[in-house]
Every structure is written in C-alpha cells, then in structure tokens.
C-alpha cells in the first residue's frame, strides 16, 4: 500500500497561493516533524543551562565538551551516505532519532564530564546522520515537482515546533532543577514518538513525475562518487553556511559590544527573523519553484553579501540611526536565508543520483557541519580585529560562493524541478 496518492487533485487556490504541497497521505510525516522539532525547541536552548546547573559544570567546560563532540561527529555526514544506500533513508532517520533520544535520556542519569562528552557525541552523531537521510526521505515521499514546497513546508513546521518547544521550556525551566530534567525528558520522548510515527507510515512508492517516463529503464548506478561540479557546489554551500551562522554567532556580540545597544535588541533581532521565516517561507518557495535553482542560490549569496555590508556599516553610525539600519539588515539577511535553505537541499538532491544518493547527500551534509563548526572560531576571531572585519570576511565569502555556483552552472546546466524540460 502506497502512502502517496496515485492521482491526487490539484491543490486549491488557497494552497497554491500559500505555496503548500499536496498533503494527502503524509499527515503522519508532518506530525513527526512537529513532534521532533518541538522536542528540540525544548532542549537545545537550555542544554548549557542544564549542564551548568544540574551537573554543576562551568560554562567553559560545558561549551568545550559540546564543541569537541560536534567536531568529533562531523564524520557522520559522509558516513551517512553508505548507510543510507544500504539501509534506506527511512531507517537512517529512525536510527538518528533513537541515538538522540538515548543521549537526552543519558543526560538525566549522569553528571561526569566523560559521560557528558560521550552523550553529546552521540547526540551530534544523530544530528549529522539525520539531515541527509531526512532530505532523501522527503524526496522519496513527495512528488518530484513539489520537492521545493515540501522542504519549505518542513522548515516552516520546524520553526513553529522550535518556537512552541522554546516557550514550554521557558516555563519548565522556571520550576528549577526538576523543570530542567523534564525538559531533557521531553526531548527524549519527542524523538521516540517521532520514531514511532515514521514506523507507522506505509511504505511509499516514488510518486510519478509529471514528465514522460523514459522509454528504456536506466541501469542502477553503482554508488558513483561525487564529481567536480558536486564538490564545488558543496564548497560553495560551506561558505554560505558560514555566512548564515552570523545571525546566531556574531550578531549578539556585535550588537551589544560594538554597537552598544541594550540586550533586548538582540531578542528583537531574533524575533523578527523567526517571524519572517515562519510567515514567509512557503510564500517565497511559491515564487522560486519555477526558477533555476543554482541561480536562486546565487541570488541568496548576493543578498547575504549586501546584508553583511549593511551590518558592518552600522558600526560607523550614531546610535539613533543604528536600529533602523539593523532592521533593514535583518530583512535582507532573512530574505537570503529564505531563498537558501530549501533551495540548497533541492540542489543537493537533484544533482545526486536518484537511486543511490547517499554519498552525495552525505558530502552535502558535511558542508553544514563544517560551516557551523568553524563559524564561532572564525567570526569571533575576526571580531577581535575590529567591527568591520567579520562583515568584510562574510561579504567576501558570499561573493566567492556566487562565483563557485556560476562555475557549477556552467558545468551542469540548469537545475530545475522535474517536468520543466532539459537544463541548458
């Protein structure tokens, strides 16, 4: 029995206007997305608080342990490729959920730093296994011409879940140590429940492409290695991930220490960004789905370069002019973020072999892991040189990514949704 309808009706006018995909047969999948992201919203913002309060670690020790664990788990990105091809994306998604559930249950039972290091590494391994498998899992369950819409919808749901989880965690954390333990337990339960929901999904056949079927079946590729164009795309995405990390990593320090703004401005920046992502992702996807995806990534890179210039310019303005410029910079930054996140995933899937995408998607995941891992060191180091240095670095990185993506486009032609015709 297939979960994907064989000939579903076209979405209504409202669904089309909102950029939503067909939802028939996938409601359990959407529930799993909401459940595991709500759990992440519970625990992720409060993990350091839990470790320093419940386990009586210093903030420096807890932060170092989490950083070491994240770096140690980077290998899980490439490792996910062969595992995905062997086990299927669905099983790897479930395995990642189990690893993370085990880690957060473990946080409740131990407080020694070696144990925390092991548990944090387990959780980071689960994270790095999950994302490439999840991209392939969604690609196999949705219609090929709606892949961008599905990635956009999933990202919107994850933002909603994170926000709900964060609000609940804020209430529970106010209850003291018991509340923080409930936060960790809630995250573990969310991963376990998401695993069950995915297990209940019927096996889905690949939904039919709107284009004509090939006359002769293609032979199954034997786990091909990523070519130069794919590697170049991954390198460009690594630079863009580094740029995207500026909002959580660099902006708080920059706003308070260099722009001398009160801390509530940082909260306002994040609130504005979250509201725009939640409300705008599906609408932006609707505008982009007929575009050429590598070109969209180039537009995102150019917008990020402009946002970096705007952020850097704020350091030379009077305090009264800083807030309006920050608001404009956040708008431009978020526009780039809305264009990049789902489109990058679609490009990674479209450029990978359909039958055995594991090695390619595993390599693509490494771009997210490396970009996120080096961002704190690179950006804070540049900030010590002066307020303009990190923004100049980010603008240059985005420009370099634009050039790299142009080279990819020359090598592979256009990357578009299925059914739009050949790429050159």
């Amino acid at each position: 029995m297939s979960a994907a309808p064989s000939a579903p009706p076209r979405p209504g006018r409202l669904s089309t206007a909102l950029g939503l995909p067909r939802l028939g047969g996938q409601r359990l999948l959407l529930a799993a997305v909401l459940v595991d992201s709500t759990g992440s919203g519970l625990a992720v913002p409060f993990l350091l608080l839990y470790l320093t309060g419940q386990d009586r670690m210093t903030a420096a020790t807890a932060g170092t342990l989490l950083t070491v664990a994240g770096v140690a788990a980077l290998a899980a990105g490439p490792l996910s490729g062969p595992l995905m091809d062997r086990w299927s994306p669905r099983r790897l998604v479930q395995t990642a959920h189990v690893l993370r559930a085990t880690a957060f249950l473990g946080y409740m039972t131990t407080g020694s730093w070696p144990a925390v290091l092991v548990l944090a590494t387990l959780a980071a391994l689960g994270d790095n296994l999950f994302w490439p498998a999840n991209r392939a899992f969604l690609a196999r369950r949705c219609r090929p011409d709606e892949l961008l819409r599905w990635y956009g919808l999933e990202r919107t749901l994850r933002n909603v879940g994170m926000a709900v989880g964060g609000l609940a965690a804020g209430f529970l954390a106010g209850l003291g140590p018991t509340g923080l333990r409930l936060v960790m337990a809630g995250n573990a339960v969310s991963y376990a429940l998401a695993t069950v929901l995915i297990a209940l999904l019927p096996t889905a056949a690949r939904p039919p492409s709107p284009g004509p079927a090939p006359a002769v079946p293609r032979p199954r590729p034997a786990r091909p290695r990523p070519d130069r164009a794919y590697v170049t795309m991954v390198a460009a995405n690594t630079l863009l991930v580094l740029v995207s990390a500026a909002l959580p990593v660099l902006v708080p320090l920059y706003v308070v220490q260099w722009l001398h703004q009160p801390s509530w401005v940082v909260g306002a920046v994040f609130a504005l960004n979250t509201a725009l992502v939640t409300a705008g992702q599906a609408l932006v996807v609707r505008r982009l789905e007929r575009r050429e995806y590598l070109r969209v990534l180039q537009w995102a890179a150019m917008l990020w370069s402009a946002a970096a210039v705007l952020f850097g310019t704020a350091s030379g303005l009077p305090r009264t002019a800083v807030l309006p410029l920050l608001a404009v910079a956040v708008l431009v930054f978020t526009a780039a973020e809305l264009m990049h996140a789902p489109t990058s995933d679609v490009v990674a899937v479209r450029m990978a072999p359909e039958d055995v995408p594991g090695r390619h998607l595993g390599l693509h995941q490494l771009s997210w892991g490396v970009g996120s891992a080096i961002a704190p060191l690179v950006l804070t180091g540049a900030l010590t040189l002066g307020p303009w240095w990190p923004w100049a670095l980010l603008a240059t990185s985005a420009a370099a990514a634009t050039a790299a993506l142009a080279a990819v486009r020359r090598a592979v032609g256009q990357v578009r949704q299925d059914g739009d015709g050949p790429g050159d």
Side-chain angles (χ1 to χ4, degrees), residues 245-263 265-267 269-270 311 315 326 375-384 386-387 390-391:
L247 196 66
V249 173
L250 179 61
V251 166
L253 292 174
Y254 177 69
V255 166
V256 174
Q257 295 181 2
W258 287 96
L259 301 184
H260 308 293
Q261 297 294 315
S263 57
V265 174
V266 176
V269 165
F270 281 95
F311 274 116
S315 64
L326 279 180
L377 178 64
V378 171
L379 297 181
T380 56
L383 189 60
T384 61
W391 302 113

Side-chain angles (χ1 to χ4, degrees), residues 170-198:
F171 170 77
L172 291 173
L175 302 178
T178 300
L180 287 173
R181 289 174 64 84
L182 288 174
V183 166
M184 297 297 114
N187 196 21
V189 170
S190 75
Y191 288 133
L193 181 55
T195 304
V196 172
L197 290 172
I198 291 172

